[in-house]
């Protein structure tokens, strides 16, 4: 079939297998060009391994440090008539590249929130990975979660807290900039969002792995977070998602205690805003990112997933130097984004931006190119007119 992008709102419902492989390959090339010198993780579990930050971390671990990786993802498989989701192709490509280098890589396509996922992962660690993992990356982006203890499914809500919030937002389909209002969340919606995106499942994973005795001495784990500043605060940090991320901070303390007997450590790593499937679904983020990319490119400091995660592993978690932690004990990879000058420039542009001057004042073109790349579109050297099988 000839595969073209089909965009519906903030998601593209098709994905190109050759383009997705190219996306993975580009990230591998970055890591190989920036090989770390020291010792790194050896046996890594990546929960949320197929897209965005989880995929990039897996690439850094496997191709930077030669680590064995076990990944968990929840992706749509292909049929003769329908493409798979991008993450499915990304993982297939990652596994192929790893096999060529003789690096162990296995992936489970299963709901990470379930008990079955934890059981299957433990079995594989025992059978394939020498019985222990020494790094666990927690990088899920999901709108809903079924609690394995009760079978109840919770949905997250992107809503404001306290009072409704109106902000400029960008409809990426129509390129129209217009005000967007986030309604106030009910107490139940706040609680549900915490249930889905908070730290409970990270705790459940670490408890299951620890109880099964598959964690190595000195094991490390990190969950990913975003904080942002004034511009995004009312819709992110100060909204329902921010409450969920505060719960991840809470879980970090609990997980750390659980790992104390193994001299292990748990961190929350705060990463910069980047274009991923999860971030493009958050209102205001596409406009914020289009503007941020422009400003950070001008500063020469713009980074994507792979630069962030590679920096996290090589300059923080596996560097010889001490970790640079904030007052809450979090690793901060977002400091260049949050620099006052950067935020001020973004804010100034934000105030002026309209549908008419969008392309001039922001780098919407770069945002859109990044978005299409997530689904394997827009890569040089890929023949998008060629007949390709969706089944890989
Ligand atoms: P993403 O959408 O690119 O990837 C999400 C991953 O989660 C995919 O691999 C998907 O398969 C997996 N997944 C979702 N539901 C699952 C389930 N039920 N079972 C198994 N796997 C499942 O997301 P992302 O933007 O890389 O976000 C990952 C983490 O990074 C999140 O915690 C997010 O808050 C954080 N983060 C993101 C940004 C950003 O700008 N994108 C910034 C800072 C922090």
């Amino acid at each position: 079939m000839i595969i073209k992008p089909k965009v519906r709102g903030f998601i593209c419902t098709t994905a190109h297998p050759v383009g997705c492989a190219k996306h993975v390959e580009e990230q591998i090339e970055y890591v190989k060009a920036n090989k770390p010198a020291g010792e790194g993780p050896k046996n890594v579990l990546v929960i949320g391994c197929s897209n965005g930050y989880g995929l990039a971390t897996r690439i850094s671990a496997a191709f930077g440090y030669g680590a064995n990786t076990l990944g968990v993802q929840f992706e749509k498989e292909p049929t003769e008539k329908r493409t798979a989701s991008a993450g499915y192709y990304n993982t297939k490509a990652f596994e192929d590249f790893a096999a060529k280098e003789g690096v162990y890589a296995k992936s489970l396509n299963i709901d990470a929130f379930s008990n079955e996922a934890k059981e299957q992962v433990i079995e594989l660690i025992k059978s394939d990975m020498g019985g222990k993992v020494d790094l666990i990356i927690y990088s899920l982006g999901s709108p809903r979660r079924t609690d394995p203890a009760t079978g109840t499914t919770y949905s997250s809500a992107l809503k404001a807290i306290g009072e409704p919030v109106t902000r400029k937002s960008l409809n990426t389909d129509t390129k129209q900039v217009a005000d967007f209002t986030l309604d106030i969340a009910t107490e139940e919606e706040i609680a549900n969002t915490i249930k889905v995106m908070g730290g409970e499942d990270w705790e459940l994973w670490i408890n299951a792995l620890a109880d099964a005795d598959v964690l190595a001495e000195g094991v490390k784990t990190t969950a990913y977070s975003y904080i942002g500043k004034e511009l995004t605060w009312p819709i992110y940090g100060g909204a329902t998602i921010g409450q969920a991320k505060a719960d991840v901070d809470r879980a970090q303390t609990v997980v750390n205690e659980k790992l104390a007997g193994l001299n292990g450590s748990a961190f929350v790593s705060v990463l910069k805003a980047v274009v991923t499937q999860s971030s493009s679904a958050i209102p205001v983020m596409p406009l914020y990112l289009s503007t941020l990319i422009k400003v950070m490119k001008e500063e020469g400091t713009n980074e994507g997933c792979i630069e962030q995660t590679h920096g996290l592993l090589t300059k923080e978690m596996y560097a010889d130097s001490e970790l640079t932690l904030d007052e809450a004990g979090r690793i901060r990879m977002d400091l260049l984004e949050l620099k006052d000058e950067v935020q001020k420039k973004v804010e100034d542009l934000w105030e002026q931006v309209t549908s008419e001057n969008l392309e001039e004042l922001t780098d919407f073109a770069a945002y859109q190119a990044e978005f299409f790349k997530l689904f394997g579109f827009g890569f040089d050297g890929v023949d998008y007119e060629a007949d390709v099988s969706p089944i890989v």
Side-chain angles (χ1 to χ4, degrees):
M1 90 174 40
I2 298 182
I3 304 171
K4 299 278 176 192
K6 267 193 209 143
V7 177
R8 284 219 194 98
F10 52 76
I11 189 86
C12 179
T13 58
T14 52
H16 201 286
V18 184
C20 286
K22 194 88 186 162
H23 197 197
V24 171
E25 191 179 14
E26 271 189 0
Q27 297 182 68
I28 293 173
E29 278 165 8
Y30 172 85
V31 169
K32 285 186 168 175
N34 294 279
K35 272 253 181 201
E39 287 268 303
K42 295 191 171 50
N43 292 298
V44 182
L45 169 63
V46 183
I47 303 160
C49 68
S50 51
N51 282 310
Y53 275 132
L55 171 65
T57 321
R58 190 178 195 189
I59 292 171
S60 299
F63 293 91
Y65 292 107
N68 303 317
T69 62
L70 175 57
V72 182
Q73 64 182 13
F74 209 30
E75 298 293 343
K76 201 172 72 190
E77 300 203 3
T79 65
E80 291 291 344
K81 291 197 185 123
R82 212 185 54 190
T83 74
S85 52
Y88 179 90
Y89 292 137
N90 290 340
T91 292
K92 285 282 177 207
F94 172 87
E95 289 175 352
D96 286 349
F97 287 121
K100 279 190 200 129
E101 307 252 331
V103 181
Y104 173 90
K106 208 168 222 172
S107 319
L108 295 173
N109 198 8
I110 189 169
D111 180 6
F113 298 126
S114 66
N115 290 334
E116 294 72 33
K118 288 151 184 112
E119 285 157 16
Q120 288 186 28
V121 159
I122 288 165
E123 282 312 306
L124 279 172
I125 296 171
K126 286 182 179 165
S127 62
D128 293 15
M129 300 179 96
K132 306 269 180 196
V133 282
D134 56 1
L135 173 65
I136 300 107
I137 301 293
Y138 190 82
S139 184
L140 293 181
S142 173
R144 67 192 65 83
R145 167 173 174 237
T146 301
D147 183 339
T150 60
T152 307
T153 300
Y154 298 89
S155 291
S156 63
L158 300 178
K159 290 206 172 173
I161 292 177
E163 51 189 65
V165 174
T166 301
R167 274 282 180 283
K168 262 186 203 172
S169 190
L170 167 66
N171 180 326
T172 47
D173 269 354
T174 60
K175 298 190 197 171
Q176 294 299 303
V177 176
D179 275 349
F180 173 89
T181 299
L182 273 194
D183 294 329
I184 315 173
T186 62
E187 287 302 321
E188 190 185 3
E189 284 171 327
I190 299 173
N192 289 355
T193 308
I194 293 172
K195 201 74 184 160
V196 178
M197 299 174 64
E200 186 176 84
D201 183 58
W202 183 29
E203 280 180 66
L204 290 176
W205 268 102
I206 300 300
N207 286 345
L209 297 167
D211 295 349
D213 194 22
V214 294
L215 296 177
E217 175 77 18
V219 62
K220 297 181 192 196
T221 181
T222 184
Y224 291 154
S225 190
Y226 182 71
I227 295 179
K229 257 193 174 164
E230 281 86 352
L231 272 173
T232 52
W233 185 256
I235 54 104
Y236 199 104
T240 46
I241 323 182
Q243 294 285 310
K245 290 301 188 188
D247 188 66
V248 177
D249 290 342
R250 174 204 58 77
Q252 182 259 345
T253 310
V254 181
V255 172
N256 236 341
E257 280 163 13
K258 183 84 185 175
L259 298 181
L262 291 164
N263 289 316
S265 42
F267 303 98
V268 170
S269 300
V270 185
L271 306 177
K272 90 174 260 289
V274 289
V275 184
T276 66
Q277 290 190 39
S278 289
S279 65
S280 52
I282 301 173
V284 180
M285 274 308 193
L287 184 57
Y288 175 71
L289 278 161
S290 302
T291 317
L292 181 73
I293 291 170
K294 180 182 174 84
V295 172
M296 292 190 82
K297 268 190 181 172
E298 282 168 5
E299 298 253 317
T301 56
N302 194 44
E303 289 190 333
C305 287
I306 195 67
E307 291 86 359
Q308 282 275 297
T309 61
H310 203 54
L312 173 67
L313 295 192
T314 59
K315 296 183 191 145
E316 292 290 345
M317 292 183 75
Y318 293 93
D320 289 335
S321 48
E322 289 278 297
L323 285 168
T324 36
L325 302 176
D326 69 9
E327 68 294 342
R330 295 174 294 222
I331 301 177
R332 300 299 294 260
M333 301 302 293
D334 61 339
L335 297 179
L336 294 174
E337 172 188 349
L338 299 192
K339 261 172 62 181
D340 286 343
E341 306 89 273
V342 170
Q343 290 293 313
K344 173 83 177 68
K345 280 187 192 165
V346 174
E347 201 169 342
D348 288 348
L349 291 169
W350 189 283
E351 275 166 19
Q352 299 167 52
V353 75
T354 60
S355 310
E356 288 68 41
N357 62 21
L358 173 73
E359 318 235 4
E360 187 195 327
L361 293 194
T362 78
D363 202 342
F364 177 63
Y367 173 87
Q368 209 169 29
E370 286 286 316
F371 177 80
F372 280 115
K373 280 173 78 175
L374 298 176
F375 304 92
F377 297 106
F379 287 94
D380 289 340
V382 176
D383 180 359
Y384 290 101
E385 301 306 324
D387 194 357
V388 288
S389 170
I391 312 230
V392 294

